[in-house]
Amino acid sequence: MTSETDEQVPDGPAAEHEHHHADVSGGWLRAAVFGAMDGLVTNTALVAGVGGGGAAPRAIVLTGVAGLVAGAVSMALGEYTSVKTQNEQLDLEVARERRELDRHPEEELAELVGMLRVRGVEDRLAREVATQLSRDPEVALRLHVVAELGLSPEDRPSPRTAAVSSFLTFAVGAALPLLPYLVGLSLLWVALLCGGLGLVAAGALSSRFTPRPWWYAGLRQLLFGAIAAGATYLVGAAIGVTAT
């Protein structure tokens, strides 16, 4: 005789095939990646430009710290505003879709049938499924919003999480090229090396959430940083040489 507990335990291939996905809907991941990359690229390039102009180590540190603070605050405010605006726009669209479901239920049902048909469901079954799903207004609303906007009302990112994440990761990334100067090793090439290693590491870490190999992501970020640092170094050197 089988107990009730035994009947509720999944068995066979379905149980063996359990898998989990990374949580990419909380708003922290994108903000963290952008914050770290932006902090590394910005301050590595800033140090390269000021150092290329022949500035004293104290001036390089002052410029780098100012860039760190200004950039971290700017990133945090920008992420908060961006995510908050996205959520408010989603709320507006959800309210608009809710009104359409209330005012034009037949048209919205036909629209849902069309969505299912596009996904390969045959006509008769598509209408049956759409009719059954539309019996619950909230289910119908969620399906329409996800299908039409590509966003789920339940999985909206947090503006505060995005802001804090971008602030912290920008500050950490921006601090790396300043470390040699802060410990008394006032050599520009060492600062640029620290920034380059940070870019490779940050790119490699970001590859864990993408199909790209770690070396590709790391070298790509190093290339981007090298372009930015090279450009600002040349500008700094030109101004440092020509300025009176």
Side-chain angles (χ1 to χ4, degrees):
M1 184 174 180
T2 304
S3 66
E4 183 179 349
T5 304
D6 292 336
E7 290 177 354
Q8 294 175 351
V9 176
D11 194 11
E16 297 174 0
H17 191 62
E18 275 191 42
H19 62 283
H20 303 280
H21 294 283
D23 179 14
V24 295
S25 62
W28 68 270
L29 178 59
R30 180 184 63 87
V33 171
F34 285 166
M37 299 303 183
D38 200 9
L40 280 161
V41 172
T42 298
N43 248 24
T44 299
L46 193 59
V47 168
V50 178
R58 183 178 178 84
I60 294 176
V61 172
L62 176 60
T63 303
V65 171
L68 184 157
V69 174
V73 172
S74 176
M75 279 290 295
L77 294 177
E79 281 293 335
Y80 183 89
T81 303
S82 174
V83 175
K84 186 72 172 177
T85 301
Q86 175 183 308
N87 288 346
E88 290 172 349
Q89 182 181 13
L90 179 58
D91 290 338
L92 181 64
E93 293 300 325
V94 169
R96 181 176 299 163
E97 190 64 38
R98 192 186 300 276
R99 287 196 301 270
E100 290 298 316
L101 285 168
D102 291 338
R103 296 174 182 174
H104 310 289
E106 291 300 322
E107 289 83 348
E108 293 297 310
L109 176 62
E111 189 176 306
L112 185 55
V113 172
M115 294 177 193
L116 294 171
R117 291 175 58 191
V118 168
R119 287 160 175 77
V121 182
E122 62 181 26
D123 293 351
R124 182 182 59 80
L125 182 57
R127 177 161 289 278
E128 291 178 2
V129 172
T131 301
Q132 183 176 352
L133 292 174
S134 297
R135 290 170 185 165
D136 187 336
E138 292 303 314
V139 172
L141 175 65
R142 184 165 59 251
L143 289 172
H144 279 279
V145 171
V146 172
E148 295 175 22
L149 302 179
L151 297 171
S152 174
E154 289 94 5
D155 295 332
R156 66 188 66 203
S158 165
R160 292 185 181 88
T161 299
V164 171
S165 179
S166 62
F167 180 90
L168 294 176
T169 53
F170 185 100
V172 171
L176 286 180
L178 293 177
L179 285 179
Y181 290 97
L182 295 176
V183 300
L185 189 59
S186 302
L187 295 172
L188 180 59
W189 72 269
V190 178
L192 297 180
L193 178 62
C194 287
L197 292 175
L199 284 166
V200 172
L205 286 174
S206 71
S207 71
R208 295 184 58 187
F209 307 99
T210 72
R212 297 290 189 181
W214 69 267
W215 56 266
Y216 176 89
L219 292 179
R220 179 178 61 182
Q221 290 308 131
L222 178 61
L223 175 62
F224 292 163
I227 293 173
T232 54
Y233 179 87
L234 292 175
V235 172
I239 294 176
V241 170
T242 59
T244 57

